[in-house]
Amino acid sequence: MKKGFKDGFLWGGATAANQFEGAYNEDGKGLTIADVSPGGKQRMKLLRDDSYPLEIDLEKYTYPNHLGIDFYHRYKEDIALFAEMGFKTFRMSISWARIFPNGDDAQPNEAGLKHYENVIDELLKYNIEPTITISHYETPLNLVKSYGGWKNRELIGLFEKYARTILERYASKVTYWMTFNEINTGVLGSFFTLGMRNESLNNNFQALHNQFVASAKAVKIARELNPNIKMGCMSIYATMYAYDSNPVTVAETMEENRMFNYFCNDVQVRGEYPTYAHSFFTKNNVVLDVQPGDLEVIKENTMDYLSFSYYMSTTHALKTAEKEESEGNFFGGTKNPYLEASEWGWEIDPVGLRIALNDLYGRYGVPLYISENGLGAVDKVEEDGSIHDDYRIDYLRKHISEMEKAVTIDGVDLMAYTAWGCIDLVSASTGEMAKRYGFIYVDLDDEGKGTLERSRKDSFEWYKNVISTNGVAIQK
Ligand code: BG6
């Protein structure tokens, strides 16, 4: 077996429009759910509270997403830095509300379409393949307020129209696409994913069903436009461990694992609802409104590749057990005594990534794309302007080493790795700038103060070496 990453391996970085573009109300863009999400550690709690009005209240809150890091105006400078690192791909999302400001407009906004065309052309100028996420926590606010979010079937048609518009415009230039970011957070009722808060389990799964149909329709359109296009699903994967060897703990972990880590992938890659999901629905009185044609479109338009984000693993103990809880952006779990955690309490587990890759490749047999991975940390700028982020290099090195084992020893077909937040951006779970992932530092703090100037951290040079040697220089 050939050692190391395959030729043409797509090294790069990942972002989302709402977390770094800024320009939240420029050139005809409408509001998205991200634009009414306040900054700060209380963000997720506030958004889960029905009494929190989904409106902008500048007297009470700050909204770091409004400015982002101003990629909207600085994309040329930033893409030049990505090119300097040698990126082969750059994952970005298109903000639906730049194209259809209210989500249900009759005509698309040409200024929005033109903007993304410019960004794509700039990437292609440096031979960087764009990877586009069609929906990354950016549902237009109007679709939440007037339609009730994704539980409403009308969103299928609106998404289809949006997807068709951008695919028609960019399908000849962009090969790699993902439909919904971290779609499986919908299983947990995530507002970011579903545009709904505190609804019944039935509504959450209905919303997911609607997204499966919408996603499959986008895949169909894409293939009709360009048969060489590669369409992928995207979910968050957390390697799941049973806390102890009690068979009851292991059985519970299995049940949790399949509804969280497999369910959405099973539907989108295998093309049908798995048996265990039907049992889950029966047990929880979930009855879905499945219209004629839904299951067929899902079956006929499965994904070319499977992409996932990986930040941490999670450990499951029996509900009766008294164990210390760990933290995560969407889920906690029981503290794993073998793992250290980041400053934000996310348990760091590189070996868990090798397990994830084997698990997913063994189950699906399609190429895998690691679309997010990285360490959120506070960076210190030295007096001379340098930033020594050896902790980030250490995190990435260990994860990429495990990836390399999965490829070389285990034979996993891995096609891409895009480090999350390759340039510092606003955190999704806490709306902070202080939680940085980048190789490129952006001078901006949580109060929106700073010059927005970009500078290279130590990890910049390190990642550049990793890319130029196709992963051989991980240890250096
Ligand atoms: C993923 C999301 O859950 O994790 C990203 O797809 C997010 O949007 C990333 O930014 C890291 O999470 P956070 O909360 O540290 O920004």
Side-chain angles (χ1 to χ4, degrees), residues 170-226:
Y170 313 124
S172 61
K173 298 183 177 193
V174 178
T175 305
Y176 302 97
W177 296 78
M178 295 174 190
T179 50
F180 289 92
N181 181 66
E182 294 187 336
I183 190 167
N184 59 330
T185 58
V187 171
L188 308 175
S190 160
F191 170 68
F192 288 152
T193 308
L194 305 178
M196 294 158 27
R197 299 187 286 176
N198 303 318
E199 302 235 7
S200 63
L201 204 58
N202 209 102
N203 282 351
N204 290 348
F205 279 98
Q206 184 63 51
L208 272 173
H209 175 75
N210 296 344
Q211 292 191 334
F212 294 148
V213 176
S215 168
K217 289 191 170 195
V219 173
K220 187 168 189 290
I221 295 167
R223 293 209 175 110
E224 281 163 8
L225 288 166
N226 177 359

Side-chain angles (χ1 to χ4, degrees), residues 70 74 441-445 448-454:
D70 198 32
R74 295 166 194 250
Y441 185 86
V442 177
D443 181 23
L444 185 69
D445 68 14
K449 296 198 194 87
T451 61
L452 284 166
E453 225 170 86
R454 279 59 170 151

Side-chain angles (χ1 to χ4, degrees), residues 16 19 91 136-137 181-182 234 236 309 311 329-330 346 372 376 420 425-430 435 437:
Q19 291 173 251
R91 175 176 176 242
H136 190 134
Y137 300 161
N181 181 66
E182 294 187 336
M234 195 305 195
I236 186 170
S309 61
Y311 293 94
N329 51 355
F330 290 103
W346 295 17
E372 291 184 28
W420 175 251
L425 41 63
V426 178
S427 147
S429 57
T430 60
K435 188 180 190 187
Y437 287 86

